[in-house]
Amino acid sequence: MPVLTLLTDPARTRLPRTAAEGLPVAWDPGEPRWLATGVAVQVPLAGRVGDDELRDLRAAWSDRGVDAVVQPQVVRRRVLLADMDSTIVQQECVDELAAHAGVGQEVAAITAAAMNGELDFAQALRARVALLAGLPTSVVETVLTERITLTPGARELVATMRAHGARTALVSGGFVPFTAEVAARVGFDEHRANVLQEQDGVFTGEVEEPILGAEAKVAALREITAGLGLRPRDAIAVGDGANDLGMLGLAGTGVALHAKPVVAEQCDVRVDHGDLTALLYLQGYSEAEIVGR
Ligand SMILES: [Mg+2]
C-alpha cells in the first residue's frame, strides 16, 4: 500500500501534531504512525494519489520546511550506496583541495557545471585534476581536518542500517584519500573513488583511468548487491549530482538529497529539507531504533 512520509530537518523544524490530518479524502488515509515526535510521521494511503494533489501537498509542506514523500511501499533495504560530496559530507572535496592550490574559483565553476549535467563528468574531472598539478599530497590531510564536515545524520544512517544487517558503501566520483577517511569516520563497510596520481609527495595533475563516474556507480550497485545474492532493487541509494542519477534510478529506493534541480526532478524520492536520518524514516525506522547518536 502507498505510504506518505512527512519529515523535517530535526535541527530546524518541528512537525505539528496535526500534521497527518486534512489529507485529501480520495487518498483514503489510514492511521498515522509517528516515527519520531515532531520529526517524522507515516500515513498509509488506501486510495488513489493524484499527481496534481501530491505536487500541491509537497509544495505546501516544502514552504514550511517539510518533505512530503509518497512511496509505493515502505521497505527496509539490505544495502546502502551513498555519494560522498555534498551528500555524506557537506562540501565538494575537490573544490576544497583546489582552494588550497589557489585555483578554487576555476575548479568550483567546473564542478558546478558537471553536477548540473552540463559537462561530461570524466572530462570535467580531468580538467580539474590538471589544475591540481604540483600540489603537495599532504594538503589532503589539512583539508580533511580543517574543511570537511559530515552531513548531520550520516553516522546514524550507516550505524543503524549496519545494526540491522545491511551492507554500506561510499561510492564517489571524488578521490580515494578522502573516501578512505570519510568512510572510516562514518563507519561504512567499503568505499570506492578515483585515484589521484602522485610522485615525490606532489600530485601530478593526472587521475587513474578509467575514471569512476556515473556508470561506475551503477556497476558498483550491481556488483555489491550481486555479491550478497541480492538485486539492485534491494538497495537504497542517495546522492545529489547528475552522476548519481543512474544509481538512484536503479536502486529500489533512490533518494535525491538536497539535490540540484535537474537531478531532483528525475527522482521519485526527493529530500530537500531533512538530514540523512530521512533515509531511515523513509524505510520505516523509528527514533528508538536509530543507533550511533
Ligand atoms: Mg555529490
Side-chain angles (χ1 to χ4, degrees):
M1 185 186 297
V3 175
L4 167 71
T5 307
L6 298 174
L7 61 91
T8 70
D9 174 354
R12 298 168 60 124
T13 317
R14 303 296 289 178
L15 273 171
R17 251 184 303 188
T18 56
E21 296 172 11
L23 294 170
V25 176
W27 293 10
D28 195 2
E31 201 57 36
R33 178 183 174 226
W34 281 92
L35 302 170
T37 305
V39 175
V41 63
Q42 283 184 327
V43 188
L45 306 172
R48 189 181 163 278
V49 180
D51 290 345
D52 291 348
E53 288 168 330
L54 179 57
R55 194 169 47 237
D56 291 349
L57 183 86
R58 270 186 187 159
W61 277 116
S62 189
D63 289 344
R64 300 171 66 179
V66 175
D67 292 304
V69 177
V70 172
Q71 303 175 91
Q73 70 262 329
V74 169
V75 186
R76 294 191 175 187
R77 305 293 180 183
R78 309 269 306 275
V79 175
L80 167 70
L81 249 78
D83 169 50
M84 179 175 71
D85 295 305
S86 303
T87 298
I88 294 295
V89 303
Q90 295 176 298
Q91 298 75 25
E92 294 283 333
C93 289
V94 67
D95 290 358
E96 301 298 331
L97 208 51
H100 265 264
V103 291
Q105 288 187 349
E106 284 164 87
V107 165
I110 302 173
T111 301
M115 289 301 114
N116 279 322
E118 295 159 15
L119 279 181
D120 172 71
F121 180 81
Q123 282 177 338
L125 194 75
R126 287 187 201 104
R128 287 176 291 174
V129 170
L131 291 167
L132 302 177
L135 190 68
T137 57
S138 58
V139 166
V140 170
E141 189 63 42
T142 310
V143 168
L144 275 165
T145 308
E146 296 178 1
R147 303 288 307 175
I148 303 303
T149 52
L150 297 181
T151 303
R155 282 204 180 93
E156 292 89 335
L157 170 62
V158 169
T160 303
M161 285 192 67
R162 289 189 67 184
H164 288 81
R167 178 90 181 169
T168 58
L170 184 64
V171 184
S172 172
F175 306 112
V176 163
F178 290 101
T179 53
E181 172 65 21
V182 169
R185 277 192 207 173
V186 177
F188 280 95
D189 293 299
E190 62 180 281
H191 65 96
R192 299 181 184 198
N194 288 302
V195 177
L196 290 168
Q197 307 276 18
E198 55 183 83
Q199 196 170 17
D200 303 327
V202 300
F203 292 117
T204 65
E206 288 165 334
V207 57
E208 264 184 39
E209 302 282 344
I211 284 173
L212 192 156
E215 299 78 22
K217 292 194 183 205
V218 170
L221 174 53
R222 290 189 194 282
E223 273 173 41
I224 292 167
T225 50
L228 298 165
L230 301 171
R231 292 156 301 183
R233 77 166 91 132
D234 296 311
I236 183 169
V238 60
D240 72 302
N243 62 328
D244 297 314
L245 276 171
M247 159 179 96
L248 297 180
L250 187 62
T253 308
V255 181
L257 183 82
H258 301 198
K260 291 33 173 192
V262 290
V263 176
E265 279 162 15
Q266 297 182 55
C267 292
D268 292 336
V269 179
R270 55 188 290 180
V271 171
D272 296 326
H273 304 286
D275 67 17
L276 281 165
T277 57
L279 272 74
L280 294 172
Y281 297 130
L282 290 170
Q283 296 179 83
Y285 288 100
S286 69
E287 191 171 29
E289 293 176 286
I290 295 178
V291 297
R293 289 206 156 115

